[in-house]
């Protein structure tokens, strides 16, 4: 199977902290795979994601993007590899005063010279592609609206389209629905799943909500205190594994989840 991301012996200890946030993590992500990373707050999920695209520099270990090493890479190579790694954040990170289209075009910056980027000299073809994707994702009526005028769910969708403009091989989503109401969360998760499926983009999504992970992913990575304690098919995730990941009895965890959605 073709690996889009490979993580070997990853460790991250933040400065001033005695305890590693991530330790001894090994994982690989295949093309088109949809992975949910779950675990209690502080388990290291966000650190793991940020180490993959080098937003956080690991203390030890190696990370490969499409077979090329990003750890220890030159700034130019890091920039090149990052183009293939789209990132979606909990709080979308859009520029509120710019239009939806302008925000989405920022996804092309990694492919442009600094000057062209600063002057907003985007290729016509890229603009057409942006409009197309925005129309396909139900945002066609908002092209010239300022990002700051949109609802939380709409902003998150714009953030996803911006990441798609990078033509990523993998999309890393860090708690993409944590600040959304349930209806918007569903729209956003369905969009992530559908665009990744259609374009064979791999996706690694950190989710606080176990029920969303069960519903939308094919594979689960469970983290506890910086380590991977489960890595396997979502369909095989059992109640006892979830209790192990969260170190809590199911009764305290399964708010909103039907027991029948679990295998045992
Ligand atoms: P999760 O995403 O599972 O909530 P994080 O990766 O955010 O976990 O955090 C893992 C650990 O690293 C926590 O103990 C957290 O306090 C610590 N941590 C996260 N970011 C930083 C940072 N920038 N500086 C210092 N410690 C951090």
């Amino acid at each position: 199977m073709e690996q889009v991301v490979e993580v070997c012996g990853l460790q991250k200890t933040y400065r001033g902290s005695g305890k590693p946030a991530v330790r001894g993590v090994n994982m690989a992500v295949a093309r088109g795979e949809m992975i949910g990373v779950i675990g209690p707050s502080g388990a290291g999920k966000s650190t793991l994601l940020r180490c993959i695209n080098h937003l956080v520099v690991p203390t030890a270990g190696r990370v490969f993007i499409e077979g090329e090493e990003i750890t220890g890479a030159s700034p130019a190579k890091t920039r090149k590899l990052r183009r293939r790694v789209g990132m979606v954040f909990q709080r979308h990170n859009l520029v509120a005063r710019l239009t939806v289209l302008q925000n989405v075009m920022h996804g092309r910056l990694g492919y442009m010279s600094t000057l062209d980027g600063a002057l907003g000299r985007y290729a016509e073809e890229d603009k057409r592609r942006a409009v197309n994707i925005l129309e396909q994702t139900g945002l066609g009526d908002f092209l010239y609206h300022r990002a700051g005028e949109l609802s939380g769910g709409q902003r998150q969708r714009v953030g996803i389209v911006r990441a798609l403009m990078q033509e990523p091989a993998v999309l890393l989503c860090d708690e993409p629905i944590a600040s959304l109401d349930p209806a918007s969360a569903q729209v956003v998760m369905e969009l992530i799943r559908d665009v990744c499926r259609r374009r064979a983009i791999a996706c690694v999504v950190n989710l606080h909500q176990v029920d969303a992970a069960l519903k939308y992913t094919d594979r689960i990575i469970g983290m506890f205190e910086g380590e991977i304690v489960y890595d396997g098919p979502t369909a095989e995730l059992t109640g006892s594994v979830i209790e192990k990941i969260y170190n809590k009895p199911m009764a305290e965890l399964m708010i909103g989840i039907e027991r029948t959605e679990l295998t045992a």
Side-chain angles (χ1 to χ4, degrees), residues 31-212:
R31 192 164 302 282
E33 207 175 12
M34 181 88 186
I35 301 179
V37 183
I38 61 171
S41 179
K45 305 181 293 294
S46 177
T47 302
L48 170 62
L49 238 65
R50 282 158 201 263
C51 283
I52 292 177
N53 72 348
H54 240 52
L55 275 179
V56 165
V57 179
T59 313
R62 306 175 78 186
V63 177
F64 299 84
I65 309 293
E66 294 185 296
E68 292 196 59
E69 187 166 6
I70 190 166
T71 29
S74 67
K77 186 169 179 189
T78 303
R79 183 172 132 102
K80 180 172 157 266
L81 294 177
R82 269 201 191 135
R83 291 172 186 168
R84 300 286 288 163
V85 186
M87 189 95 195
V88 173
F89 298 92
Q90 178 179 346
R91 298 209 176 268
H92 55 76
N93 287 27
L94 302 181
V95 183
R97 67 186 163 76
L98 295 184
T99 65
V100 166
L101 190 55
Q102 283 170 320
N103 270 286
V104 164
M105 291 312 295
H106 284 174
R108 295 304 296 170
L109 291 177
Y111 288 92
M112 299 165 68
S113 72
T114 311
L115 183 61
D116 282 349
L119 296 176
R121 290 200 291 232
Y122 299 107
E124 279 307 313
E125 185 197 331
D126 288 339
K127 286 189 214 160
R128 269 196 300 275
R129 208 160 61 82
V131 172
N132 268 341
I133 307 180
L134 284 164
E135 282 173 349
Q136 284 164 19
T137 47
L139 292 163
D141 292 339
F142 299 95
L143 300 183
Y144 302 106
H145 286 230
R146 284 177 202 278
E149 297 165 10
L150 304 182
S151 72
Q154 287 167 334
R155 284 182 216 183
Q156 204 54 303
R157 280 151 63 199
V158 174
I160 294 163
V161 176
R162 180 182 56 186
L164 291 179
M165 287 300 289
Q166 278 176 244
E167 301 177 78
V170 60
L171 198 60
L172 306 176
C173 307
D174 196 3
E175 303 265 5
I177 55 171
S179 45
L180 300 181
D181 61 87
S184 307
Q186 186 173 342
V187 170
V188 165
M189 282 310 297
E190 283 175 4
L191 177 63
I192 291 173
R193 184 188 57 193
D194 295 347
V195 295
C196 289
R197 258 192 205 156
R198 210 172 312 131
R199 292 153 197 264
I201 298 171
C203 180
V204 185
V205 52
N206 280 353
L207 288 164
H208 203 69
Q209 306 84 337
V210 186
D211 48 354

